[in-house]
Amino acid sequence: MKTGLVLEGGAMKGMYTAGVLDVFMDEGITFDGIIGVSAGAIFGVNYLSGQKGRAIRYNKRFNGDKDYMGFRTMLKTGNIINTEYAYERVPRDLDPFDNETYTNSEVPFYAVTTDIKTGKPVYHQITDVFAQMDVIRASGSMPFVSKPVTLSVRDEMTGEETISQHLDGAITDSIPFEKFAKMGYEKQVVVLTKDITYVKGAIPAWMAKLRYRKYPEFAKRIMERHIMYNGTIERLKQKEKEGKVIVIRPSQPITISKIESDPAKLQAVYDLGIMDARTILGRVKEFL
């Protein structure tokens, strides 16, 4: 039975996931496959590159730069996170990502995006982070504050390539444990970024309809996301009760902003991930 690691998104709440993964690196814990959504994909690739501490380090260093992230950047570029700065300068020059180690890991890593025309999730295998940086960027491109990312997608059935526009994978499959099980990864560890009391609320329908009036299927997915998310959580809890998955979730609510820039607050979330991972570490090892 193949083991799988599932990483939820959550913008800067993903520092929690970064802490969990750094503990896994310390302990030599490995998986047969990994799937990440949004921040789970952006920060999760560091696990296979073996770069402990990289995610917390560069976020603490750059998030406070108004040219890196924030509403000034969104007004200038249409994206709340500066594409060239965050996805090119940082990983290639300022805090280099070890793409060679990643590509040599031989562990399949998947990132989820949403096709805004069809309103359906798309699951991409990331074999080369630099070559597929746009896929990772699309996975974490939050609606309303990001421009769609144009991707070339190969149809699994026909093999044909199509060009389509994509945004945040969390809109259509926030916690893809069911999809991953269908792909053969039946024994899973799932890392969440919301505590056990969290219930997602609805986004005002008028916002989705107005902003994405040209993409009605995507607008519908946004309006129904709270139903999808809360239902997924309930099914995950049932799998957890049955002992079929291990879930690592924050032991207390994480209240930081989606674009948090305070290094101390980012560090606190990262430290919570380390603490919670160490608390459940014995169960994870026994399960795997």
Side-chain angles (χ1 to χ4, degrees):
M1 186 181 295
K2 291 196 293 186
T3 60
L5 176 63
V6 180
L7 307 174
E8 183 184 15
M12 286 303 120
K13 291 179 181 178
M15 289 299 96
Y16 178 85
T17 301
V20 172
L21 296 183
D22 282 356
V23 170
F24 285 0
M25 277 191 256
D26 276 344
E27 297 294 325
I29 294 175
T30 60
F31 298 85
D32 296 320
I34 304 171
I35 189 166
V37 184
S38 196
I42 294 170
F43 303 142
V45 292
N46 295 288
Y47 183 50
L48 293 185
S49 70
Q51 291 176 279
K52 178 187 174 185
R54 181 176 180 270
I56 182 64
R57 181 176 65 240
Y58 78 74
N59 280 280
K60 287 173 65 176
R61 179 181 174 188
F62 298 113
N63 282 14
D65 187 337
K66 293 180 181 179
D67 290 323
Y68 178 81
M69 180 177 71
F71 291 104
R72 186 170 79 174
T73 297
M74 188 173 71
L75 290 174
K76 284 184 176 182
T77 69
N79 291 303
I80 201 162
I81 296 176
N82 186 311
T83 295
E84 193 276 333
Y85 196 156
Y87 295 100
E88 293 296 330
R89 288 179 60 199
V90 170
R92 292 184 183 273
D93 301 312
L94 301 178
D95 196 325
F97 176 76
D98 188 349
N99 196 47
E100 182 177 0
T101 296
Y102 175 90
T103 56
N104 290 335
S105 71
E106 299 183 352
V107 176
F109 188 102
Y110 299 86
V112 187
T113 66
T114 298
D115 183 321
I116 64 172
K117 182 178 180 180
T118 66
K120 294 180 179 180
V122 182
Y123 306 89
H124 313 256
Q125 184 174 351
I126 307 298
T127 57
D128 184 312
V129 169
F130 286 154
Q132 296 173 276
M133 190 63 79
D134 280 349
V135 176
I136 294 173
R137 178 164 66 91
S139 184
S141 290
M142 296 179 288
F144 301 107
V145 294
S146 306
K147 294 191 294 186
V149 181
T150 301
L151 300 176
S152 177
V153 178
R154 183 183 296 275
D155 187 282
E156 293 181 358
M157 299 297 292
T158 66
E160 293 181 358
E161 295 276 350
T162 58
I163 303 298
S164 50
Q165 292 188 305
H166 295 248
L167 283 171
D168 197 341
I171 298 301
T172 47
D173 199 351
S174 298
I175 312 165
F177 74 98
E178 291 164 314
K179 173 64 176 181
F180 221 31
K182 291 179 180 178
M183 293 169 65
Y185 300 95
E186 296 181 3
K187 181 177 282 192
Q188 299 179 6
V189 173
V190 180
V191 182
L192 304 181
T193 55
K194 284 86 172 176
D195 70 284
I196 199 165
T197 67
Y198 179 84
V199 178
K200 185 171 286 296
I203 292 175
W206 69 266
M207 289 177 59
K209 289 180 179 179
L210 178 63
R211 178 64 179 85
Y212 296 106
R213 57 189 178 277
K214 294 182 180 179
Y215 304 99
E217 292 300 321
F218 186 65
K220 180 181 178 182
R221 287 289 193 152
I222 291 176
M223 291 184 288
E224 295 176 349
R225 188 189 172 198
H226 63 295
I227 300 171
M228 177 274 292
Y229 184 89
N230 295 331
T232 299
I233 287 291
E234 290 306 311
R235 295 192 299 276
L236 181 61
K237 286 180 180 178
Q238 183 59 40
K239 291 289 185 182
E240 188 180 17
K241 287 179 181 179
E242 295 170 358
K244 295 180 179 179
V245 301
I246 291 284
V247 178
I248 302 175
R249 55 171 63 83
S251 55
Q252 61 191 58
I254 297 176
T255 58
I256 63 172
S257 164
K258 289 181 179 293
I259 55 170
E260 185 61 64
S261 60
D262 185 331
K265 292 181 179 179
L266 294 170
Q267 184 70 47
V269 174
Y270 173 79
D271 290 343
L272 181 64
I274 289 177
M275 182 186 74
D276 289 349
R278 294 210 173 277
T279 298
I280 202 172
L281 193 58
R283 285 184 56 204
V284 171
K285 289 182 176 181
E286 183 179 359
F287 177 74
L288 294 176

